[in-house]
Amino acid sequence: TDRLNAAGYMFLPQDIDNDSFALLARLCLICTEVAEAAEATDKAGLAEELADIVIRCMDLAGGYNIDLQSAVEKKMEKNAKRPYLHGKRC
């Protein structure tokens, strides 16, 4: 956290369970990084913006004490068992 603070990342209060503003603010920060990734003009720029997205997601997960690695692993297992739906009905 100290390293990210030094890099200029804005961290919101860690206890956000009952703070919908903090949740929305973090989600908006993620959306901003996604928009910047969409504007990337080269692979290095895209990589930098994807890194920002991951950092913002980790900050959000940390605010809710979510083990993001476990959540990703569980989601990948779930996705592997479901039928492929992209391009079909949502």
Side-chain angles (χ1 to χ4, degrees):
T1 304
D2 292 338
R3 202 169 140 198
L4 295 174
N5 282 332
Y9 286 92
M10 177 184 78
F11 286 88
L12 297 168
Q14 289 299 306
D15 182 16
I16 61 173
D17 286 336
N18 296 311
D19 187 349
S20 60
F21 172 78
L23 172 61
L24 292 174
R26 281 187 166 114
L27 290 171
C28 286
L29 289 171
I30 294 168
C31 289
T32 299
E33 300 300 346
V34 171
E36 290 177 10
E39 295 176 344
T41 57
D42 59 23
K43 194 173 183 177
L46 178 60
E48 184 173 322
E49 297 308 329
L50 291 175
D52 282 340
I53 293 166
V54 170
I55 291 166
R56 295 293 186 192
C57 289
M58 289 171 29
D59 178 45
L60 177 59
Y64 279 106
N65 295 314
I66 293 170
D67 179 348
L68 195 54
Q69 181 176 346
S70 292
V72 169
E73 290 170 358
K74 287 178 185 175
K75 181 60 176 166
M76 290 177 73
E77 288 175 19
K78 181 178 179 180
N79 287 351
K81 296 174 185 174
R82 70 175 193 172
Y84 183 76
L85 296 175
H86 297 285
K88 299 180 182 176
R89 290 185 294 133
C90 295

